């Protein structure tokens, strides 16, 4: 039987449609949700991602402010910019595009973002809160994966979810979010032994490896739900899509799966911040 296609474009469109309405209402109260993006250096992929995020903001009536800093920027110069954005009441979300140039202490830069504006879920406080299940803004790609799961009513309770990857922005937070929803979670990484055996027991697979077509169809259990967060050159994900399609009961495509929902989560979290933080500024 053909697997259910977990259509990220469809999920993202619904999220953005509801945000458009919210943005109109917020504007009527004098608040225009605004995402500040900070790009350091000239990496062309990063520049494209920042541009896409700016365009996505415009499409739903939000503002975006692009701060483009030279590649020689120091950590303290970057921290100063982030602090200015923290203080700016017209900015509701801050996104520091990563990776940043090697001379910058990336962790220090992330930690400088105030928790109210950490709409990309990159601070350790945001990560810790979300791991405990009460945080404001989770990291956007894990939030996108959870949105797709909820939109398609994928059952999590008691299921074995295997996450391949443990990065701070993806593998680790999505593992915690699945655990908080009562899945039994195994998080795999480059030191994991017997990856294929572990995957063969997975009801739910999250691919977050950063290696094109890494996960093979014959590693999967028949009927597994497969969520591919990967995005590699040539528009391919981290799974061998055609082979995994044969085994899965539900699967995200690349492109058109997790990617578009990730951007809509960034917009949603910025609008949520404007709703809370913007209104409180106005009333203070
Ligand atoms: P990352 O920081 O490079 O992390 C990759 C993870 O995969 C690491 O934890 C690494 O293990 C693990 N890994 C590498 N080789 C492995 C192997 N042979 N077996 C098992 N695990 C292995 O990547 P990321 O930032 O999390 O991104 C992962 C993927 O998601 C990429 O394709 C990226 O493009 C994509 N992505 C998509 C979006 C979106 O919006 N759709 C957003 C962000 C990222 P170690 O920890 O041991 O090194």
């Amino acid at each position: 039987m053909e697997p259910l296609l977990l259509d990220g474009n469809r999920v993202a469109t619904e999220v953005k449609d509801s945000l458009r309405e919210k943005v109109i209402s917020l504007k009527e109260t004098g608040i225009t949700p605004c995402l500040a993006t900070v790009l350091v250096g000239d990496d062309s992929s990063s520049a494209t991602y920042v541009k896409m995020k700016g365009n996505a903001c415009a499409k739903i009536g939000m503002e975006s402010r692009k701060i483009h800093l030279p590649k020689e920027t120091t950590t303290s110069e970057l921290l100063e910019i982030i602090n200015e954005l923290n203080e700016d009441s017209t900015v509701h979300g801050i996104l520091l595009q990563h990776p940043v140039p090697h001379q910058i202490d990336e962790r220090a830069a992330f930690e400088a973002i105030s928790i109210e504006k950490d709409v990309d879920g990159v601070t350790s406080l945001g990560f810790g809160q979300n791991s405990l299940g009460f945080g404001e803004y989770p990291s956007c790609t894990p939030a996108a994966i959870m949105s797709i799961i909820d939109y398609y009513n994928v059952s999590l309770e008691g299921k074995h979810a295997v996450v391949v990857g443990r990065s701070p922005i993806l593998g680790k937070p999505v593992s915690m979010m699945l655990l908080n929803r009562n899945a039994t979670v195994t998080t795999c990484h480059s030191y994991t032994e017997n990856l294929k055996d572990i995957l063969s027991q997975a009801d739910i697979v999250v691919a977050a490896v950063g290696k094109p077509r890494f996960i093979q169809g014959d590693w999967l259990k028949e009927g597994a739900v497969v969520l591919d967060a990967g995005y590699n050159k040539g528009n391919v994900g981290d799974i061998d899509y055609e082979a995994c399609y044969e085994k899965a009961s539900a699967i995200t495509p690349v492109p058109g799966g997790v990617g578009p929902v990730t951007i809509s989560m960034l917009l949603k979290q910025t609008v949520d911040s404007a709703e809370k933080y913007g209104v409180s500024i106005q009333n203070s």
Side-chain angles (χ1 to χ4, degrees):
M1 208 169 69
E2 302 253 304
L4 171 67
L5 202 65
L6 304 172
D7 181 351
N9 284 326
R10 185 165 157 183
V11 180
T13 301
E14 284 201 15
V15 172
K16 285 189 274 187
D17 284 348
S18 78
L19 288 177
R20 252 183 222 101
E21 311 276 308
K22 257 194 191 174
V23 170
I24 291 170
S25 314
L26 276 166
K27 281 180 164 174
E28 282 166 6
T29 68
I31 297 160
T32 302
C34 175
L35 174 71
T37 55
V38 183
L39 172 65
V40 189
D42 306 315
D43 179 71
S44 62
S45 309
S46 294
T48 306
Y49 292 140
V50 164
K51 195 172 168 198
M52 277 165 62
K53 286 161 189 169
N55 291 345
C57 287
K59 279 190 185 151
I60 64 157
M62 282 173 59
E63 262 178 28
S64 62
R65 192 175 310 167
K66 286 185 197 133
I67 292 114
H68 190 175
L69 302 171
K71 63 177 185 303
E72 303 79 23
T73 302
T74 63
T75 302
S76 61
E77 286 164 345
L78 178 58
L79 294 187
E80 205 171 302
I81 298 284
I82 292 172
N83 284 332
E84 280 169 21
L85 294 170
N86 283 338
E87 297 297 318
D88 186 336
S89 64
T90 63
V91 169
H92 306 102
I94 301 171
L95 176 130
L96 171 62
Q97 185 65 44
H98 56 104
V100 291
H102 62 90
Q103 77 277 9
I104 289 177
D105 180 345
E106 183 177 85
R107 185 40 45 201
F110 282 150
E111 296 302 335
I113 298 172
S114 76
I115 187 74
E116 294 85 3
K117 301 189 183 188
D118 180 21
V119 293
D120 199 25
V122 293
T123 61
S124 54
L125 182 57
F127 172 79
Q129 289 183 346
N130 273 287
S131 297
L132 293 171
F134 66 87
E136 296 271 4
Y137 310 121
S139 188
C140 291
T141 308
I145 291 168
M146 299 310 286
S147 288
I148 294 171
I149 283 173
D150 287 339
Y151 186 89
Y152 286 100
N153 289 315
V154 174
S155 151
L156 291 176
E157 268 191 15
K159 302 292 183 205
H160 186 193
V162 174
V163 178
V164 188
R166 58 169 170 182
S167 71
I169 56 140
L170 217 175
K172 246 176 223 168
V174 81
S175 294
M176 299 312 288
M177 289 160 93
L178 290 163
L179 184 63
N180 288 339
R181 296 280 297 275
N182 299 325
T184 301
V185 182
T186 303
T187 309
C188 300
H189 45 79
S190 65
Y191 292 82
T192 298
E193 292 179 1
N194 305 324
L195 180 65
K196 293 180 202 176
D197 290 346
I198 296 168
L199 278 169
S200 72
Q201 295 161 30
D203 302 304
I204 294 154
V205 174
V206 176
V209 202
K211 293 191 170 161
R213 299 186 201 275
F214 178 75
I215 292 174
Q216 303 297 303
D218 61 4
W219 300 358
L220 301 182
K221 176 162 126 179
E222 195 74 47
V225 175
V226 183
L227 297 127
D228 185 1
Y231 191 68
N232 304 290
K233 272 197 183 122
N235 265 349
V236 293
D238 288 350
I239 64 164
D240 180 351
Y241 183 76
E242 288 76 21
C244 291
Y245 187 93
E246 297 298 321
K247 278 290 201 58
S249 61
I251 190 165
T252 53
V254 173
V258 174
V261 190
T262 297
I263 294 192
S264 72
M265 289 297 111
L266 179 66
L267 303 179
K268 178 182 179 306
Q269 298 189 156
T270 308
V271 172
D272 286 351
S273 170
E275 226 174 0
K276 285 187 208 136
Y277 179 67
V279 171
S280 73
I281 288 273
Q282 230 188 24
N283 293 342
S284 63

